[in-house]
Amino acid sequence: MLSEAMQARLSESRNRILSYGELALPPSQFKAFRKLVLDELGRSGLESDLEKILADLKQQQER
């Protein structure tokens, strides 16, 4: 599991990216953009990948 600090940092980045998208896109396009960003950077995307990487690193260190 990611630390609270890592989750907070990811959340900050997601929010900042979504803010940029909201400024640049019309509402109809922003809705799709928001879904894509959350899918890519959320639990089913980057966050999950980082958890796997950290688990692998921890397992390697324990050997």
Side-chain angles (χ1 to χ4, degrees):
M1 178 146 194
L2 296 179
S3 72
E4 286 183 34
M6 291 175 88
Q7 287 179 343
R9 184 63 183 93
L10 279 171
S11 180
E12 288 173 19
S13 292
R14 276 192 298 263
N15 290 337
R16 198 171 310 118
I17 291 167
L18 290 173
S19 293
Y20 297 150
E22 191 170 24
L23 288 171
L25 299 168
S28 61
Q29 290 180 337
F30 175 70
K31 185 176 179 180
F33 175 79
R34 182 181 185 278
K35 182 186 181 324
L36 291 170
V37 168
L38 293 176
D39 286 349
E40 186 64 30
L41 299 179
R43 295 288 309 151
S44 62
L46 180 61
E47 193 171 329
S48 176
D49 293 344
L50 289 174
E51 286 177 351
K52 290 175 188 172
I53 291 168
L54 290 172
D56 288 346
L57 288 173
K58 184 177 179 182
Q59 188 177 24
Q60 288 175 3
Q61 288 175 347
E62 290 173 351
R63 291 182 189 171

